């Protein structure tokens, strides 16, 4: 921000030598700085569209749209623990002893309905059924089946609602990720967090309402900014990526030698200059830009405090596990998520990549490591929230963009070490999520896969259903929650979606 200012000052000096005033220079810059004026300080006039957008944005900026919530919400905030890459349900929460019993046999063609499977294994000549090599046991009063790879999750089984009948329309990572986050396989739509920011506003004006945290780990699976973008919504509804390192938000700190008071005076001067200019030439997009600059100024004080884990007591780090003090680990990000939730951040998205196990799934460095990295932190987050009386109104979600196949990808064989070398391919037709808190009925399993875990056996939950249910828990009627863009009213749930009321407390 200050670099832009210093560059413009140098340009102003050059133009002044040519006999032009500072204000004329700024005018000549083609709204380069004019884009930061306050739309809600604009005078009368302007198009009906500009006035309507400015009014809508002003409403959402503080308390959300005037008609929301539609009814009393059960959840105040969401923490979405996203396992990017597609975790296998068969090694986690969907126990299929039939696969173990028939391991090595050809997968019945009747389950594939006569066609070849979608995904990368479609060219295989054989589709060998394979069960999980990891032991499953029942846990809690609910008797939930949970893999031995998730011992800490097993301890909070009665807080969880397992949805074992999730289904998606996309079988490749990019469209499936985009679909799960935005309700559309094509890029350009607002993400779920952006929709909530637009509709419900913020509970803390000094922090973003939508924050993204990504685990720091060496996997070749990039996550695009558009997964938390605002799409066609005003840009200040986008998620803000909190990075690891010295500055959680890039370019937020003041440059050396520039005081906070100087920045405040600069922003006030910009408002004053551009208020006069914008009376003559209104621009609705200005509101979002100036809000971002004002938010950045407030964040200079709030973000360092919110992201500083040094004030956390030792017992909290012990609760979250050995990785809790490692900057950028999933465990540290879970502590960060709890701190952000305490401070009124409405939607917190944690991405933990590394679940794309096409081969060597059972090797220690593959699925077991991914499970170990998230198991204790996930359970600790629920326990921590419960201890603070926050779980009841915090909706916590665990899942990925799709699941994995019940047959092996590649040859079902063992390496010299005795570890199976197979993997599992992408599978969109049936996979597992869990949800907890925020109005969710704990100790419940909803839906089920068929006996081989290939198709939904009962009570399918689509991505649209999932989005509709999350919105409902936050007090929003998904069919009424729209935004007009290019002549059409858009929804997060598009033209589908049913609320899954059976999983609600």
């Amino acid at each position: 921000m200050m670099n832009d200012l210093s560059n413009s000052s140098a340009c102003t000096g050059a133009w002044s030598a040519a006999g032009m005033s500072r204000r004329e220079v700024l005018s000549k810059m083609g709204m380069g700085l004019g884009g930061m004026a306050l739309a809600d300080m604009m005078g009368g006039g302007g198009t009906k569209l500009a006035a309507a957008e400015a009014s809508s944005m002003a409403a959402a900026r503080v308390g959300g749209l005037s008609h929301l919530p539609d009814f009393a919400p059960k959840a105040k905030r969401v923490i979405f623990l996203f396992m990017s890459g597609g975790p296998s349900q068969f090694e986690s929460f969907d126990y299929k002893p039939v696969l173990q019993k028939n391991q090595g046999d050809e997968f019945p063609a009747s389950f594939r309905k006569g066609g070849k499977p979608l995904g990368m294994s479609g060219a295989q000549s054989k589709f060998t059924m394979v069960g999980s090599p990891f032991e499953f046991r029942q846990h809690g009063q609910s008797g939930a089946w949970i893999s031995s790879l998730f011992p800490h999750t097993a301890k909070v089984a009665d807080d969880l609602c397992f949805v074992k009948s999730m289904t998606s329309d996309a079988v490749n990572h990019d469209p499936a990720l985009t679909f799960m986050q935005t309700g559309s396989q094509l890029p350009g739509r607002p993400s779920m967090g952006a929709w909530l920011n637009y509709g419900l506003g913020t509970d803390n004006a000094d922090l973003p309402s939508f924050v993204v945290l990504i685990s720091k780990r060496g996997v070749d699976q990039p996550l695009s900014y558009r997964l938390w973008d605002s799409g066609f919504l005003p840009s200040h509804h986008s998620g803000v990526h909190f990075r690891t390192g010295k500055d959680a938000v890039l370019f937020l700190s003041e440059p050396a030698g520039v005081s906070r008071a100087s920045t405040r005076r600069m922003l006030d001067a910009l408002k004053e200059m551009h208020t006069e200019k914008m009376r003559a030439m209104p621009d609705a997009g200005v509101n979002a830009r100036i809000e971002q600059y004002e938010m950045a100024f407030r964040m200079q004080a709030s973000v360092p405090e919110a992201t500083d884990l040094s004030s956390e007591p030792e017992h909290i780090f012990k609760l979250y596990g050995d990785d809790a003090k490692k900057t950028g680990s999933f465990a540290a990000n879970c502590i960060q998520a709890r701190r952000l939730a305490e401070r009124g951040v409405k939607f917190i998205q944690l991405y933990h990549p590394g679940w794309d196990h096409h081969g060597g799934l059972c090797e220690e460095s593959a699925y077991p490591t991914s499970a170990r990295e998230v198991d204790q932190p996930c359970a600790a987050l629920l326990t921590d929230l419960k201890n603070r009386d926050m779980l009841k109104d915090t909706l916590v979600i665990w899942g990925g963009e799709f699941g994995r196949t019940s047959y092996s990808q590649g040859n079902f064989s063992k390496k010299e070490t005795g570890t199976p070398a197979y993997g599992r391919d992408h599978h969109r037709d049936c996979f597992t999520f869990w949800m907890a808190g925020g109005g969710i009925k704990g100790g419940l399993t909803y839906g089920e896969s068929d006996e081989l875990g290939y198709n939904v056996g009962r009570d399918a939950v689509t991505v649209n259903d999932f989005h509709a249910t999350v919105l409902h828990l936050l007090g929003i009627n998904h069919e009424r929650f729209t935004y007009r863009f290019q002549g059409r009213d858009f929804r997060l749930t598009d033209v589908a979606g049913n609320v899954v009321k059976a999983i609600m407390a």
Side-chain angles (χ1 to χ4, degrees):
M1 178 168 64
M2 293 304 302
N3 287 338
D4 291 342
L5 180 63
S6 60
N7 291 339
S8 67
S9 298
C11 293
T12 302
W15 282 91
S16 295
M20 298 184 68
S21 69
R22 179 179 178 86
R23 187 163 294 176
E24 289 172 327
V25 172
L26 294 173
S27 179
K28 292 289 185 182
M29 290 172 69
M31 298 301 290
L33 292 176
M36 296 189 296
L38 277 170
D40 58 2
M41 297 177 70
M42 292 189 288
T47 64
K48 291 183 179 179
L49 176 61
E53 289 189 357
S55 175
S56 173
M57 292 159 65
R61 189 167 58 251
V62 178
L65 299 181
S66 59
H67 74 276
L68 292 179
D70 295 311
F71 40 83
K74 295 179 180 292
K76 293 181 179 179
R77 63 195 74 86
V78 178
I79 300 176
F80 196 169
L81 308 171
F82 197 84
M83 308 296 111
S84 179
S88 168
Q89 65 273 32
F90 302 112
E91 274 66 45
S92 56
F93 309 117
D94 197 6
Y95 179 45
K96 290 298 173 187
V98 176
L99 291 178
Q100 195 72 38
K101 178 181 178 181
N102 298 321
Q103 186 158 281
D105 294 347
E106 179 71 7
F107 189 83
S110 59
F111 281 77
R112 295 190 272 113
K113 301 177 181 178
K116 282 196 171 183
L118 299 172
M120 299 172 65
S121 59
Q124 290 181 193
S125 59
K126 294 186 66 178
F127 299 93
T128 306
M129 285 187 284
V130 57
S132 174
F134 306 107
E135 181 183 9
F136 274 74
R137 289 184 179 178
Q138 290 180 285
H139 295 273
Q141 293 183 354
S142 61
W145 289 97
I146 297 177
S147 162
S148 60
L149 293 179
F150 296 86
H152 294 278
T153 304
K155 296 176 184 177
V156 295
D158 288 337
D159 291 321
L160 307 179
C161 172
F162 293 97
V163 181
K164 296 187 178 181
S165 52
M166 288 291 299
T167 180
S168 178
D169 295 342
V171 74
N172 292 317
H173 292 294
D174 192 73
L177 278 163
T178 306
F179 189 33
M180 192 63 72
Q181 303 303 326
T182 72
S184 172
Q185 295 186 52
L186 299 176
R189 300 284 184 88
S191 57
M192 180 163 41
W195 274 110
L196 294 179
N197 191 353
Y198 165 69
L200 297 177
T202 181
D203 295 330
N204 185 339
D206 295 333
L207 284 170
S209 185
F210 176 17
V211 172
V212 175
L213 302 166
I214 302 176
S215 300
K216 186 179 180 181
R217 64 195 316 267
V219 292
D220 185 19
Q221 191 182 72
L223 293 164
S224 171
Y225 170 81
R226 58 183 170 76
L227 295 175
W228 52 90
D229 193 19
S230 62
F232 47 69
L233 294 176
S235 60
H236 67 276
H237 297 303
S238 294
V240 177
H241 179 194
F242 279 19
R243 293 166 167 80
T244 58
K246 180 181 177 182
D247 293 321
V249 180
L250 294 179
F251 313 117
L252 186 64
S253 301
E254 302 285 8
V258 177
S259 69
R260 184 166 173 80
S262 296
T263 302
R264 182 67 267 170
R265 289 195 299 270
M266 180 272 292
L267 290 174
D268 291 341
L270 285 174
K271 289 181 184 180
E272 183 180 348
M273 287 189 293
H274 295 297
T275 297
E276 180 179 344
K277 181 71 174 179
M278 298 306 285
R279 287 196 182 101
M281 189 169 61
D283 182 353
V286 166
N287 213 353
R289 178 66 59 83
I290 196 63
E291 176 62 21
Q292 288 171 330
Y293 273 73
E294 290 292 332
M295 171 62 81
F297 180 76
R298 298 192 297 271
M299 284 167 57
Q300 287 179 332
S302 61
V303 169
E305 184 278 331
T307 57
D308 182 8
L309 303 188
S310 64
S311 62
E312 292 291 329
E314 191 62 31
H315 74 268
I316 289 296
F317 292 113
K318 185 176 180 180
L319 176 66
Y320 282 84
D322 294 340
D323 291 340
K325 291 186 178 182
K326 295 179 182 178
T327 302
S329 67
F330 182 78
N333 285 347
C334 281
I335 298 176
Q336 183 67 77
R338 188 266 296 159
R339 290 175 62 87
L340 292 171
E342 284 181 306
R343 288 159 175 77
V345 176
K346 195 165 294 293
F347 194 92
I348 306 155
Q349 179 93 57
L350 274 66
Y351 288 98
H352 189 70
W355 296 89
D356 192 24
H357 300 119
H358 290 277
L361 177 132
C362 299
E363 294 179 11
E364 180 58 31
S365 61
Y367 199 100
T369 292
S370 295
R372 185 173 56 254
E373 288 173 340
V374 306
D375 173 44
Q376 185 171 352
C378 287
L381 177 62
L382 298 185
T383 301
D384 200 2
L385 289 169
K386 185 184 290 187
N387 289 343
R388 297 166 193 270
D389 199 31
M390 290 177 62
L391 185 59
K392 64 184 181 183
D393 53 16
T394 303
L395 176 62
V396 183
I397 306 164
W398 187 99
E401 63 265 41
F402 42 56
R404 313 304 286 201
T405 55
S406 44
Y407 52 82
S408 68
Q409 182 173 7
N411 293 326
F412 176 65
S413 60
K414 293 187 177 181
K415 292 184 176 181
E416 295 178 359
T417 60
T419 302
Y422 71 91
R424 296 188 190 272
D425 199 4
H426 306 169
H427 192 64
R428 70 180 188 182
D429 294 336
C430 191
F431 54 101
T432 298
F433 267 38
W434 62 250
M435 304 170 76
I440 290 294
K441 188 183 298 182
L444 176 70
T445 293
Y446 180 83
E448 65 179 20
S449 57
D450 62 28
E451 61 179 328
L452 299 182
Y454 192 78
N455 294 301
V456 172
R458 62 176 175 84
D459 299 327
V461 178
T462 68
V463 172
N464 296 132
D465 296 337
F466 166 66
H467 288 156
T469 303
V470 171
L471 291 178
H472 186 89
L473 289 166
L474 289 156
I476 298 174
N477 181 337
H478 74 102
E479 294 179 334
R480 292 185 59 203
F481 187 34
T482 64
Y483 185 89
R484 180 159 286 267
F485 176 67
Q486 294 184 343
R488 176 189 162 186
D489 289 333
F490 284 86
R491 296 177 2 201
L492 172 62
T493 53
D494 198 36
V495 294
N498 295 298
V499 176
V500 186
K501 294 187 177 179
I503 68 174
M504 296 181 184

